[in-house]
């Protein structure tokens, strides 16, 4: 996996060197994130939803299997929203703004899901 990324980066440097008159420059893009990065985000979401955190102190924590399902949904929806923003924006060459949208969407959706679960738990005994 790393060899493929290195070869791709080398190809970009060679292409940029040829186009730019001999001085290599490297173009770094952080969007879209690699699958490994997305999996790390997913792991961190599950960890946050299942362990002691500011979120769990206020809304409660989730069991592991439920947290994994919720985290997967949150990450996929945030990725889709950020990808849609990247297509429409067009101003952000390196992906920083899109990554910011991705991060905000994850945070917003995580809080919304915790609130919804807490509200459902509170309403369940009254039913």
């Amino acid at each position: 996996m790393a060899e493929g990324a290195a070869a791709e980066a080398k190809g970009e440097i060679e292409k940029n060197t040829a186009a730019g008159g001999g001085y290599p420059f490297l173009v770094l893009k952080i969007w879209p994130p690699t699958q490994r990065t997305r999996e790390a985000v997913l792991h961190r979401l599950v960890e946050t939803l299942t362990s002691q955190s500011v979120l769990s102190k206020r809304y409660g924590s989730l069991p592991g299997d439920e947290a994994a399902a919720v985290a997967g949904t949150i990450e996929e929806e945030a990725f889709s929203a950020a990808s849609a923003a990247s297509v429409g924006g067009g101003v952000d060459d390196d992906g920083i703004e899109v990554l910011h949208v991705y991060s905000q969407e994850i945070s917003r959706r995580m809080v919304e899901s915790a609130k919804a679960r807490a509200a459902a738990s509170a309403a369940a005994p009254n039913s």
Side-chain angles (χ1 to χ4, degrees):
M1 178 97 144
E3 291 173 3
E8 185 178 325
K10 184 179 178 189
E12 276 296 309
I13 291 171
E14 289 170 355
K15 190 170 31 172
N16 292 336
T17 302
Y23 292 104
F25 63 93
L26 182 62
V27 177
L28 295 176
K29 293 187 179 249
I30 58 174
W31 190 263
T34 63
Q35 187 60 38
R36 183 176 173 187
T37 300
R38 291 183 69 189
E39 289 168 3
V41 167
L42 207 54
H43 177 73
R44 184 67 181 128
L45 280 170
V46 170
E47 193 176 296
T48 301
L49 293 169
T50 58
S51 62
Q52 281 295 99
S53 66
V54 173
L55 194 66
S56 68
K57 286 180 184 174
R58 184 160 186 175
Y59 301 109
S61 60
L62 299 175
D65 56 339
E66 186 179 346
V70 169
T73 301
I74 289 169
E75 195 282 331
E76 286 176 21
E77 290 176 355
F79 183 81
S80 294
S83 293
S86 72
V87 171
V91 262
D92 188 28
D93 286 337
D94 58 6
I96 299 270
E97 292 172 23
V98 180
L99 188 65
H100 185 70
V101 170
Y102 178 62
S103 176
Q104 284 182 321
E105 287 294 322
I106 287 173
S107 297
R108 182 179 64 79
R109 291 168 195 275
M110 190 164 49
V111 170
E112 285 176 357
S113 68
K115 282 182 181 180
R117 185 176 185 280
S121 295
N126 297 334
S127 298

